[in-house]
Amino acid sequence: MFVVTLDKFRFTRGEPILVVASLSGRQVFGDSLAATLETASEQDRADSAELHATEETGYYQGNLSSDHEPGEYRLIVEARVDGRPVRHVSSLSIEPDLGDFNGIDSPYISGNDLVIPVQFDPENAGYYALTAQLYNGQRALAQLSAEDSLSGSSGTLLLRAHGSVLANRDVSGELQLKNLQIRQMPARPGDRTHYAFGPDEGYEFSPPDLDRLRDEPAVNPESEQRAALLRQLADKF
């Protein structure tokens, strides 16, 4: 059996690509495996490294560089098992550094929405889309999203949770914003959409008085459909 594991499949340019492989067979040759990173389209070699045997039998580990042009890549790991060559091919992408998440400002109630301002300092001006999940402890409450044009070196994206999602819910203590993902939308047709991710631990905050929110339909049909979708997405977490 030949298994190659990556901790993720999108890497920000410059961060190491940790590769872990497990290999078993009657005869496994060598104490290292060959790993190659190549472009997906042209299959040009971008980097190569050896995965060295770890203290745990059958496991190999090593790092490749992601300091290459953003785009789609293939990771190829090769070995010899039972006298024949074997290879494992994985797909991954390298993303540019889009900027930095800098926490959240104090959430507040506006109309019948809980508004959560998320601070993001973009490297480049552009149109950005943010998604995140709202939790109360281990319980998912809603999937949130926001889109806006950001310019300069700092910006704010406003995530909104409608009252029909939160009103009359047993919400106690702190709320958490988790699984933040931001996309820089293409400036021109044919350009790639670029991705970046918020901190693994997310953000925790004390909500304002949620008793002010009302479990009633949104003002317009589009918002009402959006609120229903948020509830459906939360139920699937």
Side-chain angles (χ1 to χ4, degrees), residues 146-167:
E147 298 183 8
D148 207 350
S149 179
L150 300 180
S151 60
S153 59
S154 63
T156 303
L157 290 159
L158 302 178
L159 294 173
R160 297 176 181 271
H162 190 260
S164 58
V165 175
L166 295 174

Side-chain angles (χ1 to χ4, degrees), residues 42-122:
E42 304 297 329
Q43 297 185 9
D44 292 331
R45 177 176 294 195
D47 194 20
S48 61
E50 287 190 349
L51 309 183
H52 295 284
T54 67
E55 294 181 356
E56 188 173 355
T57 302
Y59 282 84
Y60 302 79
Q61 181 174 306
N63 289 291
L64 289 160
S65 170
S66 68
D67 194 11
H68 309 288
E69 282 298 314
E72 303 300 320
Y73 288 80
R74 298 199 317 163
L75 169 66
I76 303 170
V77 181
E78 298 173 290
R80 290 188 66 84
V81 179
D82 299 335
R84 61 184 180 86
V86 293
R87 59 164 21 198
H88 187 286
V89 180
S90 307
S91 298
L92 61 89
S93 65
I94 295 176
E95 303 292 343
D97 183 3
L98 296 187
D100 297 313
F101 283 90
N102 283 315
I104 60 175
D105 287 339
S106 297
Y108 59 91
I109 302 296
S110 177
N112 198 28
D113 291 325
L114 168 64
V115 182
I116 308 168
V118 178
Q119 297 294 326
F120 183 75
D121 297 346

